[in-house]
Amino acid sequence: RCVDIFGEKSYEGEKLCVWSNIATRTTEDWIVKKVGNYYQFLSRNGGWAINDPTDGEVTATTNTGTQLNLAKVDTTSQSQLWDIVPQSNGYFNIINVHTQHTMNLSGGTNADGTALISYKSDSSNSSSQNRQWKFVAGDSINGNIADSVQVDTTKNDTIIRRLSNLPHIYIYTKNGL
């Protein structure tokens, strides 16, 4: 299942869910952009970021969580900034900077349409499978550019663009040149 826009339309407040991976759905495509020490998840549909609407609240509901939604891109809004914390086997916890709540599947199910929520983070539930995420490389966009998302918290550039789907080799040097 992939993170998806619930109503398949990008507008302020549209809720997020998971959906079966369908290659033609642009609502499943996200760019991971580094902002300072954190990350923003930007919709390929343009101008929208994954937002934790609990911004401004002291705490969120911890029994059911608060459903994540879209908001206009704002790099100063902590509700749109996320920490990416490595777990085992290439999976990550994605934790909101403002609330310190983790991106999580509602109810722990992974059926199509399951809501994405912000849920209280603590060490006792960090290994829960419904809050662990993997980043997958994208396919070609409009036939000539593929957005291959690669998360490496030691590097500033988390987006690698390529001109074709031919095999590629990426070389990272010690000084980043």
Side-chain angles (χ1 to χ4, degrees), residues 31 44 67 87 112 121 124 130 139 175:
I31 295 170
R44 180 174 129 183
Q67 186 157 3
Q87 300 297 308
D112 285 347
S121 303
S124 67
N130 58 324
D139 293 325
N175 63 2

Side-chain angles (χ1 to χ4, degrees), residues 121-134:
S121 303
D122 62 49
S123 59
S124 67
N125 59 26
S126 65
S127 62
S128 171
Q129 288 185 354
N130 58 324
R131 64 183 63 222
Q132 291 193 5
W133 303 91
K134 186 170 270 194

Side-chain angles (χ1 to χ4, degrees), residues 1-11 14-31 41-50 68-70 103 112-114 116 133 136 138 140-141 147 149:
R1 301 285 191 266
C2 295
V3 173
D4 200 355
I5 298 170
F6 194 79
E8 294 186 54
K9 297 198 189 283
S10 298
Y11 61 85
E14 181 63 28
K15 295 183 178 177
L16 301 176
C17 66
V18 293
W19 206 261
S20 298
N21 187 6
I22 302 172
T24 59
R25 289 172 68 129
T26 60
T27 54
E28 292 178 348
D29 295 344
W30 302 91
I31 295 170
F41 293 88
L42 308 177
S43 173
R44 180 174 129 183
N45 287 356
W48 305 102
I50 294 178
L68 300 179
N69 64 14
L70 290 179
M103 189 180 293
D112 285 347
T114 300
L116 224 59
W133 303 91
V136 180
S140 68
I141 301 170
D147 62 345
V149 177

Side-chain angles (χ1 to χ4, degrees), residues 2 8 19 24 26 31 42 46 49 58 64 74 85 93 99 103 109 118 122 126 139 156 165-166 174:
C2 295
E8 294 186 54
W19 206 261
T24 59
T26 60
I31 295 170
L42 308 177
V58 176
T64 59
D74 178 357
V85 180
N93 282 169
T99 64
M103 189 180 293
T109 62
S118 166
D122 62 49
S126 65
D139 293 325
N156 288 332
N165 286 329
L166 295 174
K174 185 174 182 178

